Amino acid sequence: MKVLITAEAEADLESIGDYIARGNPARALSFVRELYQLCLNIAEMPQAWPVVPRYEHHGIRRSVHGRYLIFYRVGADQITILHILNGAMDVETMLFPDG
């Protein structure tokens, strides 16, 4: 199955890398690579991670890596990575700005 990483998710990865790089530039690069690889690995078992509670009707699932959450949607022939966010953020507002 194909994995599409949206522009928003790419921007999230860049922001995560920039944040980590302030304290540890080498780790920033390796951590962003880990997150990116996890996004690709979702295609192997896309149904393995839970649908976001209270928003089941949107069909958005999330995978966890440390403090970070990878939000994605499963389509017929494609996984769409929507956002990659720190779990401490107000993720609901980011994912569902209109409620």
Side-chain angles (χ1 to χ4, degrees), residues 73-93:
R73 185 174 287 125
V74 180
D77 60 349
Q78 173 176 289
I79 306 296
T80 304
I81 307 297
L82 303 169
H83 275 287
I84 304 163
L85 304 171
N86 186 300
M89 297 174 72
D90 182 2
V91 297
E92 288 185 20
T93 300

Side-chain angles (χ1 to χ4, degrees), residues 9-82:
E10 290 280 354
D12 295 338
L13 282 172
E14 187 173 333
S15 294
I16 292 164
D18 290 346
Y19 178 78
I20 295 171
R22 292 183 214 157
N24 188 341
R27 181 59 182 139
L29 183 58
S30 66
F31 191 75
V32 167
R33 285 182 179 161
E34 286 173 26
L35 284 171
Y36 186 83
Q37 188 59 51
L38 287 169
C39 290
L40 299 179
N41 291 348
I42 288 171
E44 294 173 16
M45 292 178 34
Q47 306 294 336
W49 291 275
V51 174
V52 177
R54 297 189 312 150
Y55 295 96
E56 291 86 357
H57 58 283
H58 289 285
I60 297 175
R61 295 177 174 274
R62 72 173 166 224
S63 175
V64 179
H65 182 63
R67 295 180 183 158
Y68 291 89
L69 307 171
I70 300 169
F71 293 93
Y72 66 97
R73 185 174 287 125
V74 180
D77 60 349
Q78 173 176 289
I79 306 296
T80 304
I81 307 297
L82 303 169

